[in-house]
Amino acid sequence: MNESDWAVGDRRRLTFDAFCDTHHRTWSGFAGTRLHESAAREAVETAKDRVWREWQRILREPYPAFQAWTILKEEVATALLRRMMDGEPSPAPGPVPRWVHAVRAAAERAGDLPETEAGHERLHAALCGLSERRHDVVVLRYLIGLTDTQIADSLATTEANVRSTAGQALDRLAGALGGRPRERHR
């Protein structure tokens, strides 16, 4: 390899590293909602390795962040499947998970979910009943705290679509928890 080849390789690695730094919080947060801490870290690292192996192709795609998001979700699903196949139990019920507080607080602040004595198991079941896109938007927006712009980038959509999807998701959650859908402002 000559000096020019090294420079191009270094630049490509710097670009990849910056990309990963930009999305690390999103990826780690999402993996952490599904997996124990060590398994979440491992899934993110495995996803980063895959993204690096496919980096040239990903850069040619119109939405590189969405390509990486897809890879991350595949790695999280693989880790969950591995846990099931190994016969590992679901995480033990304990204190209310942090994601429950985040989703409930955001939704109650918006007046979209009723204050109810229903346990976090019921909220979790309602979240699991959402479509994949709605679930992702709820997790990214209310748990991880991304902006609509950041979510749109990760999911290869528009900010308006993110807002609409979030509203639909909250309506579904409210319905599943015995509340009523939000009133639409026209």
Side-chain angles (χ1 to χ4, degrees):
M1 230 183 207
N2 64 33
E3 204 171 298
S4 177
D5 291 338
W6 278 109
V8 169
D10 287 347
R11 198 171 328 123
R12 185 174 25 157
R13 185 62 198 205
L14 286 172
T15 303
F16 171 78
D17 289 343
F19 179 84
C20 288
D21 287 348
T22 300
H23 296 285
H24 182 77
R25 181 171 154 246
T26 303
W27 298 341
S28 295
F30 179 80
T33 65
R34 300 298 188 107
L35 302 166
H36 293 291
E37 189 176 337
S38 61
R41 256 193 323 274
E42 184 179 326
V44 170
E45 289 306 313
T46 303
K48 284 182 182 179
D49 290 343
R50 277 187 59 198
V51 169
W52 173 246
R53 287 192 309 272
E54 298 181 36
W55 189 236
Q56 293 294 34
R57 177 193 63 79
I58 288 171
L59 285 177
R60 289 189 301 271
E61 296 290 334
Y63 301 101
F66 178 68
Q67 298 299 314
W69 177 253
T70 301
I71 289 170
L72 171 73
K73 288 189 71 170
E74 289 170 1
E75 292 303 328
V76 168
T78 298
L80 287 169
L81 182 59
R82 192 176 311 118
R83 283 189 60 205
M84 270 182 27
M85 293 179 71
D86 290 345
E88 291 183 37
S90 297
V96 177
R98 149 180 96 91
W99 62 265
V100 172
H101 293 298
V103 171
R104 187 167 291 287
E108 285 174 352
R109 201 171 41 246
D112 296 324
L113 289 180
E115 290 191 35
T116 174
E117 294 303 313
H120 63 271
E121 295 85 5
R122 192 163 163 209
L123 178 57
H124 183 262
L127 275 170
C128 289
L130 295 174
S131 69
E132 183 177 359
R133 178 59 61 111
R134 289 176 182 145
H135 178 272
D136 289 355
V137 168
V138 167
V139 168
L140 294 174
R141 189 184 227 200
Y142 298 114
L143 176 59
I144 301 173
L146 298 184
T147 65
D148 290 347
T149 302
Q150 292 169 315
I151 297 168
D153 182 47
S154 290
L155 302 181
T157 190
T158 64
E159 291 177 51
N161 186 274
V162 168
R163 287 187 294 276
S164 173
T165 302
Q168 293 166 8
L170 291 176
D171 285 348
R172 297 280 171 120
L173 289 173
L177 297 173
R180 60 183 193 283
R182 301 167 301 127
E183 292 184 23
R184 305 250 192 264
H185 300 287
R186 297 194 194 263

